[in-house]
Every structure is written in C-alpha cells, then in structure tokens.
C-alpha cells in the first residue's frame, strides 16, 4: 500500500474497565493487521461506553469524523446495527462529497431482521449508504446474498482471529473435557448445558468461562449440577492457553444477534471441534467434519452430540477443525480484504 493513502478507520474499541466482546476483538485484529502492513491510519472509537458522556457520544464521533475527514483518503467504517442507521448515511454522504472512497463492514448476523423492521425513512437512509459506498463487507454469506442488490461490490468479511503461537498436538488424546467460553447468559444456552450435565456420567467434565450476565447466575448452587464448574472470566491474553486444555467447545446458543462467534474461530485455530446450534451464521462456519450442530433448546440432541465424541473419531474432528480455521485466519483474510479495498482507491 502506497504511503500516499491514509485511512480513517471508525470502529468499536474495548473499554479498559470491561472485558472485550467479539466485535471489539475483531476490530482490534483488523487494526493490528493495518499496522503490520505499514498502512497509515487514524482511528475514531465508536464504542460509546468509552465516552464520558454517553448521551452525546454520537455528536463527539461526528465531530471527530469531520475534523479528520479532509486529511484522509479512505474511510473505513466497522459498524453495529445502530452505527449503520445513525453513522453510515452521514459518513457516506460527506465522504463522497469530498471525493473520498468509503468501505463499510457490518458486524454480526442479525442485520436483515433489523433492516426489514426499520421505519421507511431509516430504511431509505441505510439503502442510500449501502448503494453509495464504494465497497461493502458483511460477516455472513446469507447477508451478502440479500444486500448485494444494493451494491455489486459486496463481499465476505468473516470473523477472523490470529493464529495462536501454540504447537498443536495432532495426536491429542480425547479426555471428555468440554468448555463453554462466552457470556454466561440464558440465550447462549447456559441453562441447557446445566441440564445436560446431570445426564452425563462422571467421566465427563464441563467448565464455564465468562462474565455473569444475568442475576440468576450470581446465586446459582453449582452443587446441584454434576461434572460442571464455573471458572470466572478470562482476559484476552488467556483465551488460547485455556482453550487449549479442552477437547470440545460447547456453544448451544440461540442469541438473536449471533453471526460468526469469534470463539468458534478461536477453537478451530487450536484444532478443537465444536458443538453448536443450527443458526444461519453458525451453519456457515461449522461443517460436518469440524463439529456437530443441533437444534436450539434441545437438551437431548446436546447430550447425544456430547456423547458422539470418542477415542476413535476425535482425531478426525480435530483435524477438520484445524483445516477449517484457514477461512477465519486473520493473516490470510485481512490481506484479501485490503487487496479488495485497494481496487477502489
């Protein structure tokens, strides 16, 4: 990338007082890759949690944008549902007015439902932004199929993660160690994991990691459940080393906003197969060899999936999971994205 180009990148950065979520991790990975590629850029943080006065955070973001716009060559927005409603129309209009190129990247996989339920004025504004940006990126393929009607320059930008600096043991012995890593919330399938733990024999081990997001989990009596333990939250630097100790990732989620969960990509990077649900985005991530998909809220299927792993088939599952990670490898995928952006500069 020539030094004559300067990127203005807008996206969510982690708050120092909170553990980072999937979107902040994904955005951080993108910024790290820009640095590695020696691309000149400035960042505007769109995570309103980071602003002292959240009520006027949007005004502050607009102010920073207009302040930096003229000195930038390319504007790159990495946005949530609300960002696409309240930021993208202004960003696209202003950037095009000054002859700047614009790329839009949508996090998560629920935007189609949000879009279809927008009021007519808001829907028209989002259509304007999508139609007039130079290039659009969506996290899931089913969103690409729908939104490509507004702009042919619409491409796939999946959740990506860095490949961990860990030597993968391809002869790893299956030991019935299962892990859930994410928000401890009912819509992530936690209640079903708790229920299934009492249906398994004592040879199984299930550990839960993540922040407690609902009050009912603060006072839970863990002694009621066999084979299961809550291990607290992890710092980002601990994720890979902890995941590596387990055999299978459990994610029986039915969270409405689920797209491509980053924890699945992280598990694949370590050769760890997945048990998850048949949500649209997850079906695109997990193929038949790299994991097992079940219906949402189905404890019997969850139990059967857990019991499906054994000494004979585990190595094949692990191998497929590791191979599947290539689609979500930041080193590969972000280079492809940068090359696509180059075509519009």
């Amino acid at each position: 990338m020539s030094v004559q180009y300067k990127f203005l990148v807008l996206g969510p950065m982690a708050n120092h007082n909170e553990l980072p979520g999937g979107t902040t991790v994904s955005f951080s990975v993108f910024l790290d890759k820009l640095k590695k590629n020696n691309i000149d850029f400035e960042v505007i943080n769109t995570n309103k949690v980071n602003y002292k006065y959240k009520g006027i955070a949007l005004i502050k973001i607009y102010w920073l944008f207009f302040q930096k716009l003229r000195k930038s060559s390319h504007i790159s927005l990495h946005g949530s549902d609300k960002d696409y409603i309240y930021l993208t129309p202004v960003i696209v209009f202003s950037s095009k007015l000054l002859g700047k190129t614009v790329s839009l990247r949508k996090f998560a996989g629920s935007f189609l439902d949000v879009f279809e339920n927008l009021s007519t004025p808001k829907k028209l504004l989002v259509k304007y932004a999508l139609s007039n940006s130079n290039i659009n990126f969506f996290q899931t393929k089913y969103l690409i199929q729908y939104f490509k009607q507004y702009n042919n320059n619409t491409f796939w930008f999946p959740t990506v993660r860095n490949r961990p600096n860990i030597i993968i043991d391809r002869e790893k012995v299956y030991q019935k160690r299962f892990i859930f890593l994410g928000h401890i919330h009912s819509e992530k399938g936690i209640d079903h994991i708790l229920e299934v733990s009492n249906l398994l024999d004592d040879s199984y081990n299930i550990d839960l990691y993540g922040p407690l997001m609902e009050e009912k989990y603060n006072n839970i009596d863990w002694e009621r459940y066999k084979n299961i333990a809550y291990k607290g939250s992890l710092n980002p630097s601990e994720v890979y080393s902890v995941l590596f100790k387990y055999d299978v990732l459990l994610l029986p989620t039915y969270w409405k906003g689920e797209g491509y969960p980053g924890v699945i990509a992280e598990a694949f990077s370590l050769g760890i197969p997945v048990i998850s649900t048949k949500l649209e985005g997850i079906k695109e991530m997990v193929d038949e060899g790299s994991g097992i998909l079940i219906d949402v809220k189905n404890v019997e299927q969850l139990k059967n999936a857990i019991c499906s792993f054994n000494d004979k088939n585990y190595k094949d599952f692990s191998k497929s999971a590791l191979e599947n990670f290539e689609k979500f490898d930041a080193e590969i995928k972000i280079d492809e994205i940068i090359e696509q952006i180059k075509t519009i500069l």
Side-chain angles (χ1 to χ4, degrees):
M1 179 71 66
S2 171
V3 294
Q4 66 181 330
Y5 298 117
K6 182 169 185 175
F7 281 30
L8 178 57
V9 188
L10 297 90
M13 301 182 74
N15 180 275
H16 295 301
N17 297 320
E18 296 179 353
L19 291 172
T23 56
T24 57
V25 172
S26 291
F27 186 58
S28 175
V29 170
F30 180 78
L31 296 180
D32 288 343
K33 188 62 175 170
L34 291 183
K35 291 177 186 176
K36 189 173 181 179
N37 285 21
N38 296 315
I39 294 174
D40 186 18
F41 68 93
E42 283 192 88
V43 180
I44 296 176
N45 185 0
T46 58
N47 185 356
K48 297 174 182 62
V49 175
N50 288 290
Y51 290 87
K52 185 176 181 180
Y53 302 106
K54 298 181 183 64
I56 61 170
L58 187 62
I59 296 173
K60 181 66 179 295
I61 292 168
Y62 281 142
W63 182 80
L64 290 170
F65 169 69
F66 288 119
Q67 186 182 50
K68 300 174 185 293
L69 176 59
R70 289 186 180 275
K71 296 180 181 179
S72 305
S73 305
H74 177 73
I75 315 304
S76 176
L77 173 71
H78 302 242
S80 65
D81 294 343
K82 289 184 178 180
D83 292 335
Y84 265 58
I85 297 167
Y86 298 109
L87 283 177
T88 58
V90 174
I91 286 172
V92 171
F93 176 80
S94 304
S95 300
K96 303 296 282 188
L97 190 65
L98 295 182
K100 315 294 183 179
T101 56
V102 185
S103 60
L104 303 178
R105 173 197 184 185
K106 179 67 185 68
F107 289 121
S110 61
F111 189 55
L112 181 54
D113 291 336
V114 173
F115 178 76
E116 290 182 335
N117 287 293
L118 289 176
S119 64
T120 298
K122 287 181 179 178
K123 187 177 288 188
L124 288 173
L125 286 171
V126 174
K127 284 182 181 180
Y128 166 81
L130 292 172
S131 300
N132 288 278
S133 63
N134 296 93
I135 191 167
N136 295 323
F137 297 101
F138 286 92
Q139 188 182 92
T140 65
K141 294 177 181 178
Y142 68 87
L143 287 180
I144 293 172
Q145 289 178 349
Y146 181 86
F147 286 104
K148 202 176 183 75
Q149 65 182 300
Y150 301 115
N151 192 325
N152 281 330
N153 271 0
T154 299
F155 302 100
W156 189 46
F157 194 156
T159 295
V160 293
R161 290 293 186 266
N162 291 317
R163 190 178 291 274
N165 188 24
I166 294 176
I167 298 174
I168 308 300
D169 181 6
R170 296 181 181 272
E171 299 301 318
K172 181 178 179 180
V173 177
Y174 175 60
Q175 299 182 58
K176 299 184 179 180
R177 299 169 302 185
F178 292 76
I179 180 174
F180 171 91
L181 176 55
H183 286 164
I184 307 298
H185 191 286
S186 54
E187 291 184 9
K188 290 289 186 175
I190 296 299
D191 292 343
H192 303 105
I193 294 175
L194 294 176
E195 186 176 347
V196 84
S197 70
N198 284 330
L199 303 177
L200 302 170
D201 65 51
D202 293 340
S203 64
Y204 287 89
N205 178 66
I206 302 173
D207 289 337
L208 310 179
Y209 293 85
L212 301 173
M213 305 303 292
E214 291 177 291
E215 183 62 31
K216 67 178 182 177
Y217 296 120
N218 287 319
N219 303 311
I220 196 167
D221 179 11
W222 294 103
E223 298 298 323
R224 290 175 51 202
Y225 304 99
K226 295 195 311 178
N227 315 324
I228 199 164
Y230 174 61
K231 298 287 190 175
S233 296
L234 295 177
N235 291 317
S237 60
E238 300 174 298
V239 168
Y240 287 118
S241 60
V242 170
L243 260 176
F244 190 57
K245 299 175 183 177
Y246 294 87
D247 302 314
V248 180
L249 174 71
L250 292 180
L251 187 62
T253 177
Y254 54 96
W255 181 53
K256 188 176 181 180
E258 208 76 80
Y260 284 7
V263 69
I264 292 181
E266 290 160 351
F268 284 166
S269 75
L270 295 166
I272 296 173
V274 176
I275 295 174
S276 194
T277 45
K278 297 174 184 176
L279 300 183
E280 288 298 324
I282 293 174
K283 286 193 294 185
E284 294 179 6
M285 289 189 83
V286 182
D287 58 28
E288 190 173 332
S290 59
I292 299 173
L293 297 181
I294 62 174
D295 295 330
V296 298
K297 303 181 183 180
N298 193 313
V299 174
E300 185 64 26
Q301 287 186 18
L302 179 58
K303 178 196 171 187
N304 291 339
I306 290 172
C307 295
S308 294
F309 289 92
N310 55 56
D311 295 335
K312 293 181 179 179
N313 65 20
Y314 182 76
K315 288 180 183 178
D316 289 335
F317 271 110
S318 180
K319 179 183 177 183
S320 294
L322 194 59
E323 291 172 349
N324 207 18
F325 175 67
E326 287 195 12
K327 295 184 290 187
F328 312 103
D329 188 337
E331 190 70 23
I332 298 171
K333 196 61 192 175
I334 294 181
D335 276 345
E336 293 175 1
I337 299 299
I338 291 172
E339 288 302 312
Q340 287 174 306
I341 291 175
K342 279 184 182 181
T343 65
I344 64 170
L345 296 177

